[in-house]
Amino acid sequence: DQQVKQNSPSLSVQEGRISILNCDYTNSMFDYFLWYKKYPAEGPTFLISISSIKDKNEDGRFTVFLNKSAKHLSLHIVPSQPGDSAVYFCAASEENSGYALNFGKGTSLLVTP
Amino acid sequence: DTAVSQTPKYLVTQMGNDKSIKCEQNLGHDTMYWYKQDSKKFLKIMFSYNNKELIINETVPNRFSPKSPDKAHLNLHINSLELGDSAVYFCASSQGLTPQHFGDGTRLSIL
């Protein structure tokens, strides 16, 4: 059973505009959430994280929002750049499972010039 | 200087063979992981070791045996390879609640 879901397999955005990637989870015990970016033939690269005690975390062009009551998080990229084109994975973890990551299936983002 | 390195990058072998994948991290992390990415691109945890001790062992066939000779290394040995083992295997490491750092993966193809 998949506990982390990314329902949009792909997203296309124009350069300069905002990219919004969404993620839903089912396990209320998750207390740490992360976004990873992945290029082909490379491993996932950490982008940004948020703990369950916060509802927003910002790092430059990247902002993650967490809505615990809705079990939903989103990643905002603004402004989007062509170099942001990659697959984005949402991940969640909990202390009881040693913080092993539960991944969504990823969203492929294409930023067009 | 690569933080998490896996060898080999590609592994092509026949059904029934035994193979090993090696992972090393130079970040000084206490915890190391193995993940499997299947043909549907779904990344799933297999094992986790903390200071050479197994702490997570998900539902994985016992043909898969991780070994951690020291906290900087976590190797994965697979016996009697099957077609369904074809996947990309990723090693990762972390220290406490810090984000996990991943290697570039080992692409295993079973003929």
Side-chain angles (χ1 to χ4, degrees):
Chain A
D1 63 330
Q2 207 180 333
Q3 300 182 75
V4 178
K5 295 178 183 178
Q6 293 176 256
N7 292 320
S8 298
S10 63
L11 176 66
S12 183
V13 171
Q14 267 194 320
E15 182 178 7
R17 298 209 174 234
I18 184 171
S19 297
I20 300 177
L21 294 92
N22 293 304
C23 177
D24 296 292
Y25 62 95
T26 57
N27 186 346
S28 58
M29 298 298 292
F30 287 147
D31 54 12
Y32 187 49
F33 304 88
L34 309 90
W35 284 94
Y36 280 83
K37 178 179 178 180
K38 187 181 181 304
Y39 293 115
E42 293 184 10
T45 302
F46 169 71
L47 201 54
I48 192 169
S49 64
I50 188 167
S51 84
S52 58
I53 61 172
K54 293 186 173 183
D55 56 17
K56 177 183 174 181
N57 188 25
E58 200 170 344
D59 184 2
R61 297 185 298 112
F62 303 91
T63 303
V64 55
F65 295 92
L66 175 62
N67 182 333
K68 280 186 65 180
S69 60
K71 294 192 181 71
H72 177 83
L73 65 156
S74 61
L75 174 68
H76 291 211
I77 306 173
V78 56
S80 302
Q81 299 173 354
D84 295 330
S85 298
V87 177
Y88 288 78
F89 288 95
C90 171
S93 66
E94 58 167 312
E95 186 175 2
N96 288 343
S97 64
Y99 290 111
L101 296 176
N102 294 269
F103 281 93
K105 286 192 174 181
T107 296
S108 179
L109 173 65
L110 177 64
V111 180
T112 56
Chain B
D1 199 17
T2 306
V4 180
S5 59
Q6 297 178 227
T7 53
K9 193 171 177 71
Y10 298 95
L11 186 51
V12 181
T13 189
Q14 294 202 327
M15 218 164 40
N17 284 350
D18 302 338
K19 289 293 179 186
S20 292
I21 306 172
K22 295 186 176 182
C23 179
E24 176 181 5
Q25 54 96 3
N26 62 7
L27 297 166
H29 290 166
D30 284 339
T31 308
M32 295 185 72
Y33 309 82
W34 277 109
Y35 290 85
K36 178 181 179 181
Q37 186 178 36
D38 61 23
S39 57
K40 295 180 182 176
K41 308 298 182 188
F42 187 39
L43 263 163
K44 191 167 180 182
I45 182 72
M46 298 175 70
F47 301 102
S48 170
Y49 267 74
N50 182 272
N51 269 319
K52 303 193 299 175
E53 302 255 345
L54 180 67
I55 57 172
I56 294 173
N57 183 354
E58 290 295 313
T59 308
V60 175
N62 57 16
R63 298 182 294 103
F64 290 78
S65 53
K67 284 194 171 45
S68 182
D70 55 62
K71 74 174 195 176
H73 295 85
L74 180 61
N75 303 322
L76 184 65
H77 189 75
I78 316 170
N79 287 329
S80 304
L81 281 158
E82 300 178 357
L83 288 174
D85 298 332
S86 294
V88 183
Y89 293 85
F90 288 98
C91 176
S93 72
S94 68
Q95 180 71 25
L97 193 52
T98 60
Q100 293 177 24
H101 291 253
F102 283 79
D104 281 341
T106 295
R107 284 142 191 84
L108 174 61
S109 298
I110 310 302
L111 303 177

